């Protein structure tokens, strides 16, 4: 199924490429678990050229210039004409975001060219992949003057087989990154977070044997606690290759044989200790073939819904969560290190969370792995956010590709319990078609997790709040972002409203909240104060206790104040969405303690 699905993605992408000439190009199937492969980091200081008019890409008639900056020509004599020079251009760190690297680039949206040189000695018989953890948003990649490919989307990994392009000695890697917002992009041009541009995650060469283990999935079979499904996909699409999967602690050693598509799968009886927030048990897993091997740490759990409840490992669970953007604590830029992931996750643990909603796009791989080790369940989502151009096939292909890359990377993470396919999208038939197809795809690719999306309210009356969304049929968990007390009335309204939600499915409140400036105090009726925000939390939580006893989880908006160009109020917002229960400097607001107390009682 997985291979068929991947082929489908490639087919859709290919057709779109022919039709529109945009979206992704030249991508190779993702190599899974790159951090446990033989890799050579290309991180470091890269030279960059800021190119707002895309002079390095188009000629003066705005036609693609075959001799663009990607050629990185050398000046070899006094009459060589060249109007750019990577060698003398400034440098910035990769991974990095250009906005916080330089004040001049803080609000820059456009193209920046990056160049890194590296020495390499190809090993005969090896394959070499060039891997990007993420780059925001439109990325074109050239190695030694040859175009390697391109990728659209700012938050998912992608890679290319560069075996035939990388050479012995010095190599020149030139990358064009364009973070201009577009109405027909995913996300669209209107979103409430900061459009950090650049190569924002690790870049590396991954050295692999000619035939290698492309990916594997080792999970409990849906609906069981005593059967493991072991699956592996080899890079070569031929029958008869053997792959061995070992889990020493469970005394499992199974040899699988591939079919003609390079896929192999087998079921094996086992009763592993289950992963849970209280006991985040992971097992060492070794996947090996005649030519390749890769290690992982994998946990096993079941997740299902029954009626209006969510069950983890057969036990009903209340999801005590918080939403998080991938923005560093204290310095407000994209996160570039595991320590920065850890700071945010520790804050979530201090709050008493057993779950984090990683909004509104897939966060870096270490964030998910760290959360797994810390016993935090994860809601993982793609940036299908607000208004999307639902009718356009290439927009769908782009969303589908991002969904595929998200699942492909993290399909072995026990803590991911939900793939979320959208956030607050306006209702229409084309939207329903788009989203239901994404839901179907996610379910087929991975039936061991639940599907959800953050919906909006559709009220029965002013004070009878409700949800009415055709997509309810396609999701396992109904989730709603609701802002009574902030965008909808003041806090008193929270004392009056009733909820009538008619779906026999679990309901999560994926967002609620209000803004407060840390240290700004006043009466509970005064907005922007910590007191108002704390009161909003108190009343919302009381509303849930008293009038929504069936709610099965919450992830208030949001852990930390975050940068957003939509938030313009001077001396209050100053470019920040202030709905954090913690300020951008790490100070806990009163609402933090209100939520912490509530979680203690849950
Ligand atoms: C929402 C969005 C989130 C915003 C938040 C807000 O409903 O999902 O991205 O940041 O509201 O603060 O308005």
């Amino acid at each position: 199924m997985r291979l068929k699905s991947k082929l489908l993605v490639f087919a859709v992408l290919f057709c779109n490429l022919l039709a529109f000439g945009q979206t992704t190009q030249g991508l190779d199937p993702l190599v899974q678990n790159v951090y446990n492969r033989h890799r050579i980091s290309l991180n470091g200081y890269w030279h960059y050229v800021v190119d707002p008019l895309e002079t390095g890409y188009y000629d003066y008639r705005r036609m693609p210039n075959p001799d663009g900056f990607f050629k990185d020509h050398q000046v070899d004599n006094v009459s060589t004409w060249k109007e750019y020079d990577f060698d003398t251009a400034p440098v910035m760190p990769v991974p990095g975001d250009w906005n916080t690297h330089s004040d001049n680039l803080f609000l820059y949206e456009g193209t920046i060219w990056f160049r890194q040189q590296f020495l390499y000695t190809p090993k005969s018989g090896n394959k070499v992949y060039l891997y990007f953890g993420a780059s925001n948003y439109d990325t074109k990649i050239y190695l030694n003057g040859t175009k390697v490919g391109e990728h659209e989307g700012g938050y998912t990994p992608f890679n290319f087989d560069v075996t035939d392009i990388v050479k012995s000695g010095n190599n020149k890697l030139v990358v064009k990154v364009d973070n201009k917002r577009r109405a027909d992009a995913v996300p669209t041009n209107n979103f409430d977070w900061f459009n950090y541009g650049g190569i924002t995650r690790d870049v590396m060469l991954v050295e692999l044997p000619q035939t290698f283990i492309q990916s594997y999935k080792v999970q409990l079979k849906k609906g069981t606690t005593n059967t493991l499904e072991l699956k592996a996909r080899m890079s070569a699409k031929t029958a008869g290759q053997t792959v061995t999967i070992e889990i020493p602690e469970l005394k499992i050693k199974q040899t699988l044989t591939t079919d003609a598509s390079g896929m192999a799968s087998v079921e094996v009886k086992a009763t592993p200790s289950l992963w849970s927030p209280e006991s985040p048990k992971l097992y060492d897993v070794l996947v090996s073939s005649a030519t390749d091997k890769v290690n992982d740490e994998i946990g096993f759990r079941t997740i299902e819904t029954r009626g209006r409840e969510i069950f983890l490992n057969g036990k009903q669970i209340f999801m005590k969560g918080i939403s998080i953007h991938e923005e560093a604590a204290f310095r407000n830029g994209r996160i570039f290190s595991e320590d920065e992931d850890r700071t945010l996750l520790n804050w979530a643990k201090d709050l008493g969370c057993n779950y984090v909603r990683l909004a509104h796009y897939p966060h870096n791989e270490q964030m998910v792995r760290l959360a797994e080790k810390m016993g935090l369940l994860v809601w993982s989502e793609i940036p299908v956010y607000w208004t999307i151009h639902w009718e356009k096939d290439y927009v769908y292909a782009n969303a589908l590709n991002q969904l595929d890359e998200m699942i492909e990377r993290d399909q072995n993470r026990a803590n991911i319990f939900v793939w979320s396919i959208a956030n607050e999208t306006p209702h229409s038939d084309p939207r329903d078609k788009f989203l239901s197809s994404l839901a179907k795809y996610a379910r087929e690719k991975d039936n061991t997790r639940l599907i959800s999306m953050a919906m909006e309210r559709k009220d029965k009356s002013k004070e009878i709040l409700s949800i009415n969304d055709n997509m309810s049929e396609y999701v396992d968990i109904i989730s709603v972002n609701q802002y009574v007390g902030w965008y909808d009335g003041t806090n008193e309204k929270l004392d009056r409203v009733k909820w009538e939600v008619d779906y026999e499915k679990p309901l999560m409140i994926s967002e609620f909240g209000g803004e407060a400036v840390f240290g700004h105090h006043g009466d509970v009726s005064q907005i922007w104060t910590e007191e108002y925000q704390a009161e909003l939390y108190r009343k919302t939580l009381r509303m849930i206790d008293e009038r929504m006893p069936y709610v099965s989880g919450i992830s208030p908006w949001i852990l930390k104040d975050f940068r957003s160009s939509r938030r313009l109020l001077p001396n209050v917002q100053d470019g920040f969405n202030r709905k954090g229960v913690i300020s951008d400097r790490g100070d806990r607001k009163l609402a933090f303690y209100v939520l912490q107390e509530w979680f203690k009682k849950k």
Side-chain angles (χ1 to χ4, degrees):
M1 199 66 217
R2 275 183 27 232
L3 183 80
K4 254 168 62 193
S5 317
K6 192 79 190 172
L7 288 176
L8 179 79
V9 177
F10 277 102
V12 175
L13 292 177
F14 185 68
C15 295
N16 281 296
L17 201 65
L18 294 180
F20 303 97
Q22 61 188 108
T23 189
T24 52
Q25 247 186 50
L27 289 182
D28 284 293
L30 209 60
V31 179
Q32 206 183 41
N33 191 8
V34 283
Y35 290 94
N36 278 340
R37 310 270 185 154
H38 196 265
R39 65 195 158 97
I40 297 161
S41 172
L42 300 182
N43 292 348
Y45 284 89
W46 293 35
H47 288 277
Y48 70 94
V49 176
V50 182
D51 185 15
L53 298 187
E54 301 191 282
T55 306
Y57 193 71
Y58 295 110
D59 66 15
Y60 78 127
R61 299 283 186 228
R62 198 76 185 166
M63 296 301 287
N65 180 356
D67 221 17
F69 289 5
F70 43 86
K71 290 283 183 197
D72 190 16
H73 284 308
Q74 295 308 291
V75 175
D76 36 29
N77 64 55
V78 287
S79 50
T80 304
W81 169 72
K82 199 178 87 164
E83 294 190 23
Y84 67 97
D85 185 5
F86 283 113
D87 291 335
T88 53
V91 292
M92 75 164 89
V94 169
D97 68 68
W98 61 60
N99 316 76
T100 58
H101 170 71
S102 152
D103 287 348
N104 290 338
L105 296 174
F106 184 61
L107 288 175
Y108 180 68
E109 292 189 330
T111 283
I112 291 192
W113 294 87
F114 291 88
R115 193 207 62 192
Q116 174 70 309
Q117 304 197 75
F118 61 91
L119 291 172
Y120 188 66
T121 311
K123 305 191 180 54
S124 77
N126 262 11
K127 277 202 172 294
V128 188
Y129 272 60
L130 175 62
Y131 180 96
F132 289 78
S135 163
N136 190 36
Y137 168 85
D138 212 342
T139 308
K140 297 187 184 353
I141 298 103
Y142 306 84
L143 183 58
N144 300 325
T146 301
K147 184 163 181 188
V148 169
E150 51 189 78
H151 181 264
E152 188 174 343
Y155 308 96
T156 45
F158 53 96
N159 55 213
F160 308 92
D161 179 351
V162 294
T163 315
D164 297 336
I165 310 176
V166 74
K167 55 182 198 192
S168 191
N170 191 40
N171 286 267
K172 287 182 186 180
L173 176 60
V174 175
V175 181
K176 174 183 185 293
V177 184
D178 182 357
N179 75 334
K180 263 195 297 308
R181 286 167 300 113
R182 291 198 334 255
D184 60 354
V186 179
T188 180
N189 52 1
N190 184 28
F191 49 87
D192 187 23
W193 68 88
F194 201 79
N195 187 23
Y196 292 112
I199 304 173
T200 52
R201 294 186 191 153
D202 296 327
V203 184
M204 63 186 87
L205 294 177
V206 186
E207 293 184 322
L208 298 157
Q210 272 301 324
T211 302
F212 60 91
I213 301 158
Q214 186 85 52
S215 68
Y216 51 88
K217 187 172 178 190
V218 181
Q219 295 278 281
L220 276 173
K221 183 177 177 178
K222 187 181 165 72
T224 76
T225 49
N226 66 354
T227 309
L228 296 185
E229 259 179 356
L230 315 179
K231 294 184 181 172
R233 179 153 52 97
M234 294 298 295
S235 60
K237 295 176 182 40
T238 54
Q241 307 170 72
T242 55
V243 186
T244 302
I245 299 185
E246 291 170 69
I247 312 175
E249 210 180 324
L250 294 175
K251 302 199 169 34
I252 290 176
K253 183 170 184 178
Q254 281 284 324
T255 299
L256 296 62
T257 307
T258 60
D259 61 18
S261 67
M263 288 284 301
S265 67
V266 75
E267 289 181 9
V268 48
K269 290 285 173 208
T271 43
S273 299
L274 300 180
W275 182 99
S276 69
E278 301 74 38
S279 167
K281 167 73 186 163
L282 300 178
Y283 287 89
D284 286 333
V285 175
L286 174 64
V287 186
S288 56
S289 71
T291 48
D292 193 14
K293 59 173 192 287
V294 56
N295 291 304
D296 209 336
E297 290 179 284
I298 297 183
F300 306 103
R301 53 96 195 96
T302 63
I303 188 84
E304 64 196 309
T305 65
R306 291 183 217 154
R308 304 192 84 162
E309 296 181 329
I310 303 175
F311 288 78
L312 177 73
N313 301 329
K315 282 210 310 255
Q316 195 261 330
I317 182 169
F318 185 85
M319 298 290 174
K320 298 189 262 184
I322 191 79
S323 299
I324 303 182
H325 263 299
E326 193 189 336
E327 193 182 68
F330 309 116
R331 67 168 178 83
N332 309 308
R334 272 273 166 262
I335 283 183
F336 309 123
S337 74
E338 201 167 322
D339 280 347
E340 291 178 328
D341 292 331
R342 190 174 289 109
T343 302
L344 297 184
L345 295 177
N346 275 335
W347 287 348
K349 288 293 274 190
D350 288 352
L351 256 180
C353 293
N354 58 14
Y355 139 64
V356 285
R357 176 182 179 211
L358 300 183
H360 277 302
Y361 38 76
H363 289 207
N364 68 78
E365 185 171 343
Q366 287 74 12
M367 180 76 136
V368 180
R369 284 183 178 268
L370 199 57
E372 186 176 51
K373 291 205 170 91
M374 292 169 72
L376 288 163
L377 286 151
V378 162
W379 159 307
S380 186
E381 73 188 67
I382 48 170
V384 174
Y385 180 94
W386 292 356
T387 52
I388 290 281
H389 281 210
W390 311 110
E391 287 92 348
K392 298 196 170 113
D393 286 349
Y394 65 91
V395 177
Y396 179 74
N398 180 5
L400 185 69
N401 188 52
Q402 294 190 42
L403 176 66
D404 190 71
E405 289 168 341
M406 169 175 79
I407 300 177
E408 198 60 31
R409 190 191 75 183
D410 287 344
Q411 60 190 322
N412 286 306
R413 302 284 70 81
N415 59 336
I416 296 188
F417 75 107
V418 159
W419 300 124
S420 174
I421 53 169
N423 182 79
E424 289 185 356
T425 48
H427 298 202
S428 72
D429 289 345
R431 169 265 202 183
D432 290 352
K433 187 167 164 244
F434 188 112
L435 293 184
S436 57
S437 305
L438 287 184
K440 185 164 175 279
Y441 181 80
R443 212 180 277 292
E444 280 176 4
K445 191 172 166 81
D446 178 18
N447 69 0
T448 64
R449 293 177 177 80
L450 306 174
I451 307 293
S452 194
M453 55 182 270
M455 298 176 177
E456 292 179 311
R457 282 164 29 205
K458 196 155 185 214
D459 298 338
K460 295 192 177 176
S461 71
K462 260 202 163 141
E463 306 216 334
I464 301 190
L465 312 187
S466 191
I467 302 156
N468 185 358
D469 191 319
N470 293 337
M471 282 302 297
S472 302
E473 198 188 312
Y474 299 92
V475 297
D476 300 300
I477 299 176
I478 311 283
S479 304
V480 66
N481 295 349
Q482 74 82 27
Y483 282 91
V484 180
W486 192 254
Y487 298 122
D488 176 13
T490 51
N491 281 339
E492 293 73 48
K493 185 166 179 185
L494 286 159
D495 296 332
R496 298 192 305 270
V497 291
K498 293 194 177 52
W499 282 80
E500 286 181 12
V501 181
D502 305 324
Y503 300 107
E504 262 308 296
K505 290 190 176 182
L507 172 67
M508 286 178 63
I509 301 189
S510 31
E511 288 179 28
F512 71 83
E515 298 196 35
V517 179
F518 171 75
H520 181 39
H521 292 287
D523 185 76
V524 286
S525 62
Q526 191 184 338
I527 70 162
W528 310 113
T529 63
E530 286 193 49
E531 284 73 10
Y532 186 95
Q533 188 195 35
E535 185 73 350
L536 184 149
Y537 270 69
R538 242 175 256 120
K539 285 180 184 290
T540 304
L541 298 172
R542 193 176 310 136
M543 171 184 80
I544 295 170
D545 283 338
E546 292 173 358
R547 280 159 282 148
M548 307 179 82
Y550 47 82
V551 163
S552 43
I554 63 170
S555 45
W557 195 252
I558 185 168
L559 182 66
K560 177 187 88 69
D561 292 352
F562 61 97
R563 277 200 164 120
S564 166
S565 301
R566 289 174 59 84
R567 305 295 170 174
L568 304 172
L569 189 65
N571 306 320
V572 174
Q573 295 177 311
D574 299 315
F576 282 87
N577 181 317
R578 300 274 179 207
K579 293 192 187 70
V581 292
I582 300 179
S583 78
D584 61 300
R585 300 272 148 204
D587 316 288
R588 296 175 180 190
K589 305 181 195 171
L590 294 174
F592 179 97
Y593 301 102
V594 174
L595 185 60
Q596 191 183 46
E597 275 310 299
W598 194 77
F599 280 157
K600 269 187 203 148
K601 287 189 241 129
K602 270 295 190 188

